[in-house]
Amino acid sequence: MNIKNIILHNYRNYVQLDIDLSPNINIFVGYNAQGKTNIIEAVHFAAIGISHRTRNDSDLIYWQQNEANINIKFAKMRIVSELKIILKKNQRKQLIFNGENIKQKELPGLLTMILFSPEDLMLIKGSPLQRRRFLDIELSQISLLYYNQLVQYNKILLQRNNLLKKIKENNKLINMLDMWDEQLAKSAAFIVDKRLKNVDKLNKLAQYTHAYISGDKERLEIKYNMCKNNINLSADIKYNQLYDWYINNLKKYRKNDIFKGSTSIGPHRDDIYFFINDIDLKSFGSQGQQRSAVLSLKLAELELLKNETGEYPVLLLDDVMSELDNNRRNSLLEFLQKKNIQTLITATDKSLFDDNGKNNFFIIDNGKVV
């Protein structure tokens, strides 16, 4: 995957930006609040249709303007394509791929990327929501079927929760839960089946990467935790086993769910656990160990997407290099250069990088490249 050109019009603080990128490492340098992250955000938005910084698309439109455009030309499997996104205030975004309008559900996987930001350094000790979102973004770029099933699951979950609240006031509606339980169980089993297989692959890749980063002193292990599970979880578990478990346990916790007005089990409640040498990294790991584990996870994610799609995704490193110590920073840059992974990096300090002719520098000043 290789981005050739980015054009932004009335996007954030860019009235007009038109830049060609190197197929290797591209570094955007400037003071804070000059617009470096806006470029990273635009690529992220083009890849999955949402920003990692806001849920309101109108926030992306330049002040006092009614419309913004993102236009990205990229090569995938050596085939050059063009993706254009038109944002209008109080209207749905328009997605155009190679001149044809497409729907949101068709977007994930066209332009694949991995984002590594300072927030990701909190991935291990942060909330389960962050870890679930990490998995869902990755899997959605690998499989449109997963993305669409995830959207469907959230719709079913909303309907079931609404019904639970109504049942609390009118118990005669309780029989309607059987229909929603069956739909939820089918969707949940599909999602968890895919997540388990994905975590198993990530675990193997991250173990190899982390052994390299730690000098073979640490063994990283990643495990998927299914909320309130009482079955042996592994990548070999069958869809039918997961479906049966959900059917039985949705009934088991039904009374509690009605009381609370929300569904207590499902993929929306699950989590991922990290261990270093069999020690829980979230509870007992040092900050350095946690950061090394996240770095290993991101590098493993790169390899996994390559294995699944046939090529490396674009890597977005948003203000993360200064957060890593010299050893981790050098290991990361060495890995990226060795693998020829196209990378977009934002930084305030140019001295963090070698000016060796291999790195492509852009100086960003108040929404302009100077």
Side-chain angles (χ1 to χ4, degrees):
M1 180 67 66
N2 186 289
I3 294 177
K4 295 183 173 296
N5 175 261
I6 299 175
I7 298 175
L8 303 179
H9 177 65
N10 287 339
Y11 182 88
R12 291 287 195 179
N13 68 331
Y14 289 98
V15 176
Q16 187 70 27
L17 176 75
D18 188 342
I19 53 173
D20 296 324
L21 299 185
S22 159
N24 300 310
I25 294 180
N26 301 270
I27 304 170
F28 300 89
V29 181
Y31 295 115
N32 290 327
Q34 299 305 300
K36 304 184 302 297
T37 295
N38 295 341
I39 297 173
I40 297 287
E41 180 190 40
V43 175
H44 183 279
F45 194 91
I48 61 175
I50 58 173
S51 165
H52 64 292
R53 301 156 76 197
T54 179
R55 288 289 178 257
N56 187 354
D57 290 354
S58 294
D59 294 343
L60 308 177
I61 301 174
Y62 189 80
W63 186 63
Q64 289 190 336
Q65 299 297 316
N66 293 315
E67 181 179 311
N69 294 341
I70 303 170
N71 198 311
I72 297 181
K73 187 177 290 185
F74 64 95
K76 183 177 182 180
M77 295 299 184
R78 298 183 181 180
I79 298 174
V80 178
S81 298
E82 191 168 1
L83 183 59
K84 184 174 183 179
I85 299 177
I86 301 173
L87 302 168
K88 295 182 180 180
K89 285 192 174 180
N90 303 318
Q91 293 185 37
R92 285 189 176 183
K93 58 182 173 287
Q94 184 180 1
L95 308 174
I96 304 169
F97 180 62
N98 290 337
E100 299 289 335
N101 286 317
I102 62 172
K103 297 178 180 179
Q104 167 66 38
K105 65 181 182 180
E106 300 173 282
L107 182 63
L110 296 179
L111 169 62
T112 55
M113 62 81 212
I114 290 174
L115 172 67
F116 190 6
S117 68
E119 291 76 20
D120 289 318
L121 293 170
M122 290 287 294
L123 193 61
I124 290 173
K125 60 182 179 181
S127 71
L129 177 62
Q130 288 176 272
R131 292 183 284 277
R132 290 193 297 268
R133 189 170 184 269
F134 158 79
L135 270 186
D136 289 338
I137 289 175
E138 179 189 284
L139 279 163
S140 294
Q141 293 188 95
I142 293 171
S143 169
L144 266 180
L145 185 59
Y146 179 88
Y147 172 79
N148 291 327
Q149 191 64 243
L150 186 65
V151 171
Q152 181 67 14
Y153 174 82
N154 287 326
K155 289 179 180 177
I156 297 169
L157 180 65
L158 179 63
Q159 293 290 340
R160 187 179 193 268
N161 287 344
N162 287 338
L163 179 58
L164 289 170
K165 294 179 178 70
K166 292 178 181 177
I167 292 171
K168 194 173 183 179
E169 299 174 0
N170 181 6
N171 194 255
K172 293 180 180 179
L173 299 173
I174 196 168
N175 289 335
M176 293 178 64
L177 272 175
D178 290 338
M179 177 188 71
W180 290 111
D181 285 1
E182 183 179 358
Q183 291 189 46
L184 196 76
K186 288 179 180 178
S187 190
F190 176 91
I191 290 168
V192 172
D193 179 57
K194 296 299 182 187
R195 284 183 180 177
L196 282 169
K197 289 178 171 57
N198 186 72
V199 168
D200 182 64
K201 293 174 184 176
L202 269 179
N203 180 51
K204 292 171 182 175
L205 290 167
Q207 282 182 354
Y208 175 82
T209 304
H210 196 79
Y212 170 77
I213 290 175
S214 67
D216 284 324
K217 295 178 181 178
E218 296 177 344
R219 182 178 184 273
L220 173 66
E221 190 173 11
I222 306 171
K223 294 181 179 180
Y224 189 83
N225 180 261
M226 200 166 89
C227 179
K228 298 183 180 180
N229 83 81
N230 54 7
I231 55 176
N232 184 26
L233 282 182
S234 75
D236 296 326
I237 196 169
K238 305 298 183 185
Y239 166 87
N240 288 343
Q241 291 175 272
L242 290 168
Y243 171 78
D244 289 342
W245 186 89
Y246 277 114
I247 284 292
N248 293 331
N249 282 274
L250 283 168
K251 290 180 180 178
K252 178 181 177 181
Y253 293 105
R254 179 176 285 187
K255 188 178 293 185
N256 181 66
D257 287 357
I258 293 171
F259 177 75
K260 292 185 176 180
S262 63
T263 303
S264 57
I265 61 169
H268 65 292
R269 299 282 190 180
D270 295 351
D271 201 354
I272 311 170
Y273 291 168
F274 297 84
F275 300 87
I276 291 284
N277 299 337
D278 297 322
I279 296 173
D280 184 354
L281 195 53
K282 181 177 182 178
S283 300
F284 303 105
S286 68
Q287 187 178 59
Q289 286 177 318
Q290 291 173 348
R291 292 189 171 198
S292 291
V294 172
L295 179 55
S296 298
L297 183 65
K298 288 293 176 177
L299 296 181
E301 192 181 9
L302 282 167
E303 293 293 343
L304 179 60
L305 275 169
K306 179 181 182 293
N307 292 343
E308 296 291 337
T309 66
E311 60 185 354
Y312 285 111
V314 176
L315 178 62
L316 310 175
L317 300 178
D318 185 21
D319 199 28
V320 78
M321 301 305 279
S322 61
E323 300 288 336
L324 302 174
D325 61 36
N326 283 334
N327 289 334
R328 280 186 275 264
R329 186 165 60 242
N330 291 334
S331 294
L332 177 56
L333 290 172
E334 180 183 330
F335 175 85
L336 299 175
Q337 290 167 348
K338 181 180 179 181
K339 299 287 188 176
N340 292 317
I341 297 170
Q342 187 184 42
T343 308
L344 280 63
I345 303 174
T346 66
T348 56
D349 187 357
K350 189 177 179 180
S351 67
L352 293 173
F353 310 92
D354 292 331
D355 198 354
N356 53 15
K358 296 180 181 179
N359 296 327
N360 188 27
F361 288 93
F362 298 89
I363 307 301
I364 307 296
D365 182 24
N366 196 27
K368 296 179 182 178
V369 177
V370 296

